[in-house]
Amino acid sequence: MADWHTIIRERDFPMIEQAECDGRPVIYLDNAATTQCARPVLWALENYWRSQHANVYRGVYCLSRRAEAAVEETRQICAEFLGAASAGEIVFTGGATQSANLLADAFALTELKPGDLVLSTEMEHHSNLLPWREACRRTGAELALVPVTEEGELDLDALDRLLERRPKLLAVCAVSNVLGTVNPLREIADRAHAAGCAVAVDAAQAMRCCLPGVRELDCDFLYFSSHKVMGPTGVGVLYGSEAWLERLTPPRTGGGMVSAIREDTVLYERGPLKFEAGTPNLAGIAGLGAALEYLQAVGRRRIAKREKALLQYAEKRLRELPGLRILGAPKQRAGVLSFVAPPLQAYDIAMLLDSQGIAVRSGSHCAIPLHRRLGLSGSVRVSPAFYNTAEELDALTVALRRSLEGAKKAGVPVGENARG
Amino acid sequence: MDELEREQARILEEFRELGDPFACYSYLLGLASLLPPCPEEVKRPENAVEGCQSHVWLRSRAEEGCFRFDADSDTYIIKGLLYLLMNVLDGRPLEAAAGAELYFWKDPLLLGGFDEHRQKGIGYVAAALQRQAGQLLKKREDTGGEPPAEK
């Protein structure tokens, strides 16, 4: 009898089953960048465009009311998925990057002034770093980064020292998109809150690894993208506690977020709508709702367990290869595994793998400060999802071995200098 | 068929024989070691042709009416391609280097795995070299002699 993951791979992920490029089959191992859409998501998108497409909040007619109800239903699904207190804490955005930018802009408008301190970390994706850097630049606040240890963990002692300066906010990832480090978010949030510091969590890489609910994490904000949870691109979520959403001023204005306009004042809608100026990505929201329901139906614990096992297997196999060095040794790793094989560059390795039908990511993964900290310009990243198989990871190992041996034969001294 | 054209045809023939993309990339890794050593001072930001995933540095000069250049990259595959570009352009008369139609990396049989994005990156390097050849040519025409080599 087939395993559950084999059944759903064949049934629900036509792209994975049929992936090919120039007539050659492709093994897709770049799920940290984007996951493939589950079949129910494709149906939801089709259904939206076929029978539901109408603008929301402005129509009294049936189709508009139906579209609005669908958006609010997805808001409720998101709230339940995240363990939020209510759907009123879910803001729809264009993805995690837009969420971080929206929050940073709102925070700059409402909370920051010259001399204030904001914290981010050395392991952030640029999308959880640059919005805060820009917010600080505009307001005269200072941005400081929590350093990363040799093992690839956040240096919590250094965090404590920074918290003594009473920062306004800490922007931190739940899982590093390069090292896979799972950060101890609850512990971090407790320390930050004790210092009067709000906590914003970039959960883009953590949504499939059984992240605890936002109330359990006790974070003030959290964001993620639909395209990393089997949903479509161009849509995501910003969670903000009700108190925070009430307090923050919306940085974007326009239609759909105003309750009244007087000559000299504007009254904004309450809750998430005040942050959703303009027409939202309605089809994307429908797809996101279907994706989260899909993950719930398959079983979030089962998915997390399966992905953890695949990642551990990948690590075991890659450690067999001489000349290859896996980055970081965090206590808990999820989602991604990055490596180097000096003096080959990440680009060389990814190209050699691509030529053998294996799709991995190479470069800085939009985390230049972390690579700088590690003394590297880039790395190769492997990120299996639950629909991948151990056989695919075996194929990756074979292709990598062939690549490294081929490079050595071509005169590249792979493995002669262990440092990358 | 001029020399420059002949060199490109030779490259295509050589790579066609290799067949599959893995063999082509492995061969490029080997060619990387044939690229002449590049003086360290060339690897400055002002000489960089920035790509998304790899860095390329170029510095050109005119010698006795011919186009000469130093080049390096941080990736082996690109170094291999620079070696091929050097075979095509280096030492050619300035007019020929500036005005040549370069195409060898676009051939699907040569590097089947080179998609549009990657082709564009190599195209930027080739365009930068031809631009520099054109500038050297213009300098020569403006001054009526050999432009001095850049320090």
Side-chain angles (χ1 to χ4, degrees), chain B:
Chain B
M1 190 188 275
D2 63 15
E3 259 307 303
L4 230 136
E5 179 70 26
R6 246 193 301 278
E7 184 56 40
Q8 294 196 84
R10 257 199 298 267
I11 291 171
L12 288 180
E13 205 174 322
E14 192 179 16
F15 274 81
R16 264 189 205 113
E17 271 182 24
L18 289 169
D20 72 280
F22 180 75
C24 290
Y25 293 140
S26 301
Y27 189 56
L28 282 173
L29 293 179
L31 294 183
S33 63
L34 304 180
L35 188 69
C38 181
E40 272 309 305
E41 72 265 19
V42 174
K43 296 181 206 169
R44 289 182 190 151
E46 64 265 31
N47 294 324
V49 183
E50 301 261 344
C52 181
Q53 296 195 23
S54 53
H55 293 97
V56 173
W57 298 272
L58 303 172
R59 190 178 68 180
S60 57
R61 62 193 182 281
E63 270 179 26
E64 296 173 356
C66 290
F67 182 61
R68 305 299 314 272
F69 68 95
D70 297 305
D72 205 354
S73 171
D74 57 352
T75 62
Y76 280 82
I77 288 174
I78 300 299
K79 271 170 103 161
L81 282 163
L82 287 174
Y83 171 77
L84 295 177
L85 269 173
M86 197 164 259
N87 275 280
V88 175
L89 288 178
D90 189 65
R92 309 287 178 205
L94 284 172
E95 295 86 344
E101 194 198 335
L102 300 177
Y103 58 84
F104 68 88
W105 64 88
K106 295 176 192 162
D107 191 304
L109 285 172
L110 167 67
L111 294 165
F114 269 41
D115 59 20
E116 204 178 325
H117 174 71
R118 289 162 186 165
Q119 283 188 15
K120 229 183 244 178
I122 303 156
Y124 288 146
V125 175
L129 283 168
Q130 289 198 290
R131 204 168 39 245
Q132 290 178 15
Q135 285 162 354
L136 290 167
L137 190 61
K138 188 168 183 310
K139 259 190 207 169
R140 187 180 70 184
E141 284 164 3
D142 290 349
T143 58
E146 192 99 314
E150 277 182 38
K151 290 266 158 34

Side-chain angles (χ1 to χ4, degrees), chain A residues 137-393:
Chain A
R137 189 192 63 76
R138 283 203 309 271
T139 57
E142 180 194 345
L143 178 72
L145 301 187
V146 181
V148 171
T149 66
E150 282 298 311
E151 291 74 30
E153 306 271 7
L154 284 181
D155 183 340
L156 295 186
D157 293 334
L159 170 66
D160 284 340
R161 288 191 293 279
L162 286 165
L163 288 172
E164 284 171 14
R165 294 174 56 196
R166 312 286 296 178
K168 286 287 180 77
L169 180 138
L170 164 66
V172 59
C173 59
V175 171
S176 157
N177 75 313
V178 177
L179 304 172
T181 309
V182 179
N183 285 323
L185 285 180
R186 179 60 200 241
E187 189 183 341
I188 289 170
D190 286 347
R191 292 183 193 205
H193 286 153
C197 171
V199 177
V201 175
D202 171 5
Q205 296 297 342
M207 297 302 291
R208 302 192 316 273
C209 72
C210 238
L211 187 73
V214 286
R215 281 179 289 175
E216 202 178 320
L217 290 174
D218 197 22
C219 59
D220 302 280
F221 307 97
L222 181 141
Y223 21 96
F224 71 94
S225 294
S226 153
H227 65 270
K228 291 181 175 43
V229 288
M230 285 67 203
T233 52
V235 63
V237 161
L238 165 63
Y239 156 84
S241 69
E242 201 178 330
W244 268 113
L245 291 190
E246 187 66 32
R247 179 167 152 176
L248 293 178
T249 303
R252 320 254 188 282
T253 53
M257 47 91 75
V258 170
S259 62
I261 295 187
R262 300 190 186 111
E263 263 184 31
D264 54 351
T265 54
V266 180
L267 292 178
Y268 296 122
E269 291 276 10
R270 299 191 66 185
L273 290 188
K274 85 173 174 184
F275 297 99
E276 293 177 3
T279 299
N281 177 357
L282 299 171
I285 290 170
L288 168 62
L292 295 183
E293 282 191 315
Y294 177 80
L295 294 185
Q296 288 283 23
V298 172
R300 291 169 71 183
R301 277 187 193 286
R302 200 156 70 151
I303 288 171
K305 197 174 158 196
R306 165 84 182 151
E307 293 200 357
K308 188 177 177 185
L310 283 173
L311 199 67
Q312 283 173 344
Y313 184 67
E315 184 163 355
K316 176 178 162 283
R317 293 302 323 262
L318 295 194
R319 285 200 188 281
E320 293 168 10
L321 300 175
L324 186 146
R325 181 163 65 87
I326 290 171
L327 304 186
K331 287 195 273 293
Q332 210 187 332
R333 199 193 302 265
V336 303
L337 196 62
S338 296
F339 62 87
V340 291
L344 282 176
Q345 292 291 306
Y347 179 84
D348 295 318
I349 299 168
M351 292 279 277
L352 288 162
L353 290 177
D354 178 47
S355 72
Q356 298 169 84
I358 295 183
V360 296
R361 179 99 358 200
S362 61
S364 70
H365 319 303
C366 298
I368 289 175
L370 177 60
H371 278 89
R372 196 179 294 137
R373 162 72 180 84
L374 300 171
L376 300 168
S377 60
S379 57
V380 182
R381 184 180 73 185
V382 176
S383 52
F386 56 89
Y387 46 57
N388 287 116
T389 64
E391 290 73 25
E392 288 177 324
L393 297 171

